[in-house]
Amino acid sequence: MPDFILSRDIPFVLVASFLAAGTAWVMNGQILPAMGNRGIICLTPLAEEAAKTLWAVLLGAPILWTHAGFGVAEALVELRRRGARGVMAGWTALAAHSLFGFITVRLYSERGLFPALLLAYLTHAAWNLAVIYYSGRARTRLTGHK
């Protein structure tokens, strides 16, 4: 079970979170224009979960806190883009990415890296599908047909 963050881990968490956010930003910048909502459901979760977890593992940063740091970065983006209207989306991003981190840590310690990434990816993909479905986006945008 993850512990509270130790002061010696903070620099590693900050760097891993920053690198994960940058990696996801670049990858999502390619995915979203090419695939739209299908990319948000299928590939964005893969890019984000892999970036968060692999940067944490490579840098020796706590996985849970790296995921939470990524959630903070996403929350700040929501606030910058939407102003006060982005507060709820920001809190939701922080909570969701923290949950994905908890899932990853739990399975990583019990089953290893690949199963942890797989379950975090599937959970994130299901989350994105639910957000798109319940946000009122047109059904045609999910299938790509008009």
Side-chain angles (χ1 to χ4, degrees):
M1 200 48 39
D3 294 323
F4 287 102
I5 192 166
L6 301 174
S7 60
R8 69 174 182 256
D9 291 329
I10 292 173
F12 295 103
V13 168
L14 292 173
V15 171
S17 298
F18 178 78
L19 289 171
T23 301
W25 181 277
V26 169
M27 294 175 79
N28 289 342
Q30 301 298 311
I31 294 167
L32 298 178
M35 296 185 67
N37 286 343
R38 285 178 286 175
I40 292 170
I41 295 165
C42 298
L43 293 180
T44 293
L46 179 61
E48 291 182 2
E49 296 310 314
K52 293 181 291 187
T53 302
L54 294 176
W55 278 118
V57 169
L58 286 171
L59 295 174
I63 293 170
L64 174 64
W65 295 108
T66 300
H67 280 247
F70 183 97
V72 168
E74 193 168 296
L76 292 172
V77 168
E78 290 292 343
L79 289 172
R80 188 162 195 312
R81 283 186 183 159
R82 299 182 187 185
R85 294 177 308 150
V87 171
M88 184 56 96
W91 279 113
T92 303
L94 175 57
H97 286 290
S98 297
L99 173 64
F100 304 147
F102 179 79
I103 290 167
T104 304
V105 167
R106 186 68 188 243
L107 210 57
Y108 182 65
S109 65
E110 295 174 7
R111 302 278 185 213
L113 182 61
F114 182 74
L117 282 173
L118 180 61
L119 184 58
Y121 161 70
L122 292 172
T123 304
H124 193 157
W127 171 261
N128 284 5
L129 176 62
V131 167
I132 287 171
Y133 180 79
Y134 288 108
S135 69
R137 292 184 188 220
R139 184 176 183 93
T140 57
R141 293 180 69 193
L142 282 175
T143 62
H145 297 101
K146 294 189 179 198

